Amino acid sequence: MAQEIDALVVGAGFGGLYLLHRFRALGLSAVAIETGSDVGGTWYWNRYPGARCDVESVEYSFSFDEDLQQEWHWSERYAAQPEILAYARHVADRFDLRRDIRFDTRVLGADWDDAAHRWSVRTDAGDWTARFVVMATGTLTAVNRPDFPGLGEFTGATYHTARWPEAGVDFTGQRVAVIGTGSSAIQAIPIIAEQAAELFVFQRTPTYSVPARNGPLDPAEEAAVKADYAGLRMRDRQMPGGFGSRFGWNDASAVTATPEERDAEYERRWQIGGFAYLGAFSDTIIDPVANEHASEFVRRKIRETVHDPATAELLCPTQPIACKRMCLDTGYYETFNRPTVHLVDVSAAPIERMTAAGLIAGGVEHAVDAIVFATGFDAMTGAVMAVDLRGRSGVSIHDAWAAGPVNYLGLMVPGFPNLFVLTGPGSPSVLTNMIVSIEEHVDWITDAIARLRDGGLETIEATPEAADAWVEYVNLVASLTLYPSCNSWYLGANVPGKPRVFMPLPGLPAYVDKCNEVARNGYEGFSLA
Ligand code: NAP
């Protein structure tokens, strides 16, 4: 017998937690179903060595409760995974959310019942019916593990950064291969290199990385933030990515600046560390010439840092900076000065296969004791499509999204009434401070449900016309930037066979204004019944 509730939330990461809190306050009966054994979502799964956030701790945290943000103390400028997980647990306990979370349970599918106006939700531990379903499944959840030939033949240990053993791994004395040089690899490599006897880094595309300049959180800075936390949150929400207002966005153009002005500004921000670098000039992500200036400055830093000129050259990216997500590191480039660390270029001669002893690339076998897959995710759509969602007339999400994700405001898919996607494709999502985007979406969804209830209505659904126009708009905005100009996971290019569509929408403030305007205008673009 299915259990009846008002709202079912898929996932108990930061999105799921805040949804439960808001739904409860609205008087809804709500339950979150979580595959993991605890809360935390991405911070529950990504336990690889060196895992930490690349948005500063005082900004990567909830703003919805003044007492919460005043009482929590972050120990570092950029919190490491265990501390962020502890924060998620604290939020769950503080707001007594655990009683409505079912852990170790996977949502298998959900079918829309048009007569009852409810979703029938199947899990591997029983069934539910709910008026509303929210996919709070996270954007970087479904693991991408390339299906190399011979994978089963390797006799050593294999790991994926996003499914790291809870007990940790000691690589002391081992020969280790790391596949990938994205954000996860760039954080893990310096730490694995300290332990391993030999480390082989298999690089297909070099990534731009800027020093994080992490360290203990300065008490004076923490006090200043807390003295005006609401002000900081408000200013951050005016930034394109919902964070970084303290370092600001320089309105000047890199193209018209003199070489001296450019270098001074890049250097100043390089010393600050982190994403401040991308705010050096206003045209970095829209003008190829401006972008090349910012890119070349990083290449110069790489050449200054890495002693072996051939290795330095291999580490220098050629794609526009920020086209793939920029990385933050602590000692990444310096790691390649260790005699035990070897960079293996697999751009032209890809990894061919695994063997019992290791892996073959470019015709050379590299014998190792362990292989670390730092190969990323089937981003943004992977976790949503892993659930067998069937909307009106049994239409599958796989059919609805066969040519790429279609939705309105990134929030609702036509033909799937009362089903919301949190921070999904078509919204700023991964281009932003995720917690800000989560709060914006949860507040919008909660208000929409309240509006239905107050009006004695039962369903809300995006119209196909509004969704088609929205997809066109997202593509148009992206095409005005350099984001779609390389093979990134933003485009789905990292997963063989995935439709190539630029998924996130650049520009948080304009997006939030649009969502609020839609709500004010009686949810135009949605049909309410
Ligand atoms: P990723 O950025 O997608 O990096 C995956 C890496 O694996 C890339 O270097 C990719 O090369 C390589 N790769 C994939 N398939 C391969 C193959 N068949 N052969 C050789 N190399 C292959 O994944 P990620 O590092 O896990 O990061 C994903 C996102 O998660 C980040 O962009 C960021 O948004 C988020 N993240 C954030 C943090 C943080 O907050 N600090 C930390 C980790 C992750 P190509 O580039 O050539 O495809």
Side-chain angles (χ1 to χ4, degrees):
M1 186 65 185
Q3 300 184 65
E4 266 189 38
I5 48 171
D6 294 323
L8 186 136
V9 174
V10 188
F14 283 119
L17 292 177
Y18 185 41
L19 275 161
L20 278 185
H21 178 64
R22 289 295 318 264
F23 282 174
R24 231 185 236 173
L26 199 61
L28 301 179
S29 57
V31 161
I33 308 286
E34 167 59 53
T35 313
S37 304
D38 203 347
V39 298
T42 200
W43 300 105
Y44 172 85
W45 295 107
N46 287 269
R47 298 164 186 266
Y48 60 85
R52 64 178 69 248
C53 192
D54 56 10
V55 174
E56 293 189 49
S57 311
V58 293
E59 294 170 296
Y60 190 83
S61 49
F62 281 124
S63 70
F64 69 83
D65 188 284
E66 177 63 11
D67 291 342
L68 171 68
Q69 62 184 6
Q70 289 295 336
E71 77 199 11
W72 185 263
H73 164 70
W74 295 103
S75 68
E76 291 181 280
R77 181 179 179 193
Y78 298 94
Q81 174 268 336
E83 192 170 6
I84 304 176
L85 184 57
Y87 174 73
R89 288 177 172 148
H90 171 74
V91 171
D93 294 335
R94 194 186 189 289
F95 297 98
D96 188 23
L97 302 174
R98 287 179 188 275
R99 63 184 158 93
D100 288 329
I101 306 174
R102 305 291 177 269
F103 293 108
D104 300 305
T105 305
R106 180 175 291 279
V107 176
L108 304 172
D111 297 83
W112 173 249
D113 179 339
D114 211 14
H117 287 172
R118 296 181 77 83
W119 284 93
S120 302
V121 182
R122 283 171 285 118
T123 82
D124 58 6
D127 297 342
W128 299 81
T129 82
R131 180 146 328 274
F132 302 100
V133 170
V134 188
M135 301 299 288
T137 37
T139 50
L140 297 157
T141 307
V143 161
N144 174 42
R145 193 191 293 260
D147 190 16
F148 295 115
L151 192 56
E153 290 170 24
F154 180 60
T155 53
T158 60
Y159 307 96
H160 193 290
T161 45
R163 292 292 178 271
W164 206 256
E166 219 172 315
V169 182
D170 182 4
F171 291 109
T172 304
Q174 294 190 15
R175 290 165 63 86
V176 181
V178 172
I179 304 176
T181 51
S183 304
S184 302
I186 277 177
Q187 291 183 328
I189 283 167
I191 295 173
I192 297 176
E194 284 171 13
Q195 300 173 354
E198 299 277 335
L199 174 62
F200 299 86
V201 176
F202 291 81
Q203 173 186 270
R204 187 165 68 181
T205 315
T207 319
Y208 293 92
S209 190
V210 167
R213 310 227 182 266
N214 188 35
L217 183 60
D218 176 2
E221 195 185 333
E222 182 181 7
V225 165
K226 288 186 173 176
D228 179 28
Y229 227 142
L232 173 67
R233 303 294 195 181
M234 200 185 61
R235 290 186 293 277
D236 272 356
R237 279 172 158 77
Q238 298 311 311
M239 298 294 287
F243 69 109
S245 62
R246 284 172 305 154
F247 304 118
W249 193 260
N250 182 0
D251 286 335
S253 156
V255 177
T256 53
T258 65
E260 294 73 26
E261 286 167 345
R262 275 196 300 268
D263 275 5
E265 189 61 7
Y266 292 142
E267 183 62 35
R268 192 177 75 77
R269 288 172 181 261
W270 185 268
Q271 294 307 328
I272 290 170
F275 281 107
Y277 186 75
L278 290 181
F281 292 97
S282 61
D283 42 6
T284 305
I285 197 62
I286 49 176
D287 186 309
V289 175
N291 189 285
E292 177 55 21
H293 289 311
S295 301
E296 185 54 23
F297 184 87
V298 180
R299 290 185 210 115
R300 267 165 40 203
K301 290 288 186 187
I302 296 172
R303 291 179 188 120
E304 283 167 23
T305 307
V306 179
H307 300 159
D308 174 47
T311 304
E313 228 34 60
L314 273 182
L315 286 166
C316 285
T318 53
Q319 74 274 11
I321 191 169
C323 169
K324 285 177 184 252
R325 165 96 167 198
M326 195 184 80
C327 301
L328 270 58
D329 73 279
T330 301
Y332 174 67
Y333 295 118
E334 290 82 348
T335 299
F336 291 91
N337 292 330
R338 284 175 176 263
T340 50
V341 176
H342 317 285
L343 185 63
V344 184
D345 174 20
V346 294
S347 57
I351 296 169
E352 292 155 40
R353 60 174 292 114
M354 306 285 155
T355 63
L359 63 173
I360 299 179
V364 178
E365 183 174 44
H366 300 268
V368 291
D369 303 300
I371 300 176
V372 174
F373 286 80
T375 46
F377 303 88
D378 178 356
M380 302 202 77
T381 53
V384 175
M385 294 175 82
V387 177
D388 184 16
L389 297 173
R390 293 183 183 264
R392 283 190 198 283
S393 315
V395 170
S396 154
I397 191 75
H398 284 264
D399 293 329
W401 283 8
V406 177
N407 59 27
Y408 184 41
L409 302 181
L411 279 160
M412 297 199 85
V413 185
F416 293 74
N418 290 8
L419 180 127
F420 301 92
V421 178
L422 205 68
T423 65
S427 74
S429 181
V430 292
L431 297 176
T432 70
N433 175 352
M434 288 304 295
I435 298 203
V436 169
S437 283
I438 284 168
E439 288 189 330
E440 290 293 345
H441 268 185
V442 171
D443 290 347
W444 193 95
I445 292 167
T446 311
D447 289 350
I449 292 176
R451 162 77 183 81
L452 288 182
R453 193 185 55 184
D454 296 348
L457 301 167
E458 295 201 329
T459 61
I460 177 168
E461 180 179 357
T463 68
E465 299 74 27
D468 287 347
W470 186 251
V471 171
E472 226 172 273
Y473 171 72
V474 173
N475 276 292
L476 174 74
V477 174
S479 73
L480 302 174
T481 72
L482 298 169
Y483 282 121
S485 65
C486 68
N487 290 329
S488 70
W489 58 256
Y490 295 144
L491 265 175
N494 63 328
V495 176
K498 189 166 174 173
R500 286 205 178 200
V501 178
F502 191 79
M503 294 182 284
L505 168 68
L508 181 78
Y511 170 78
V512 170
D513 286 349
K514 172 71 181 172
C515 289
N516 292 339
E517 183 191 303
V518 163
R520 267 197 315 275
N521 293 343
Y523 293 88
E524 60 187 358
F526 293 92
S527 41
L528 277 57

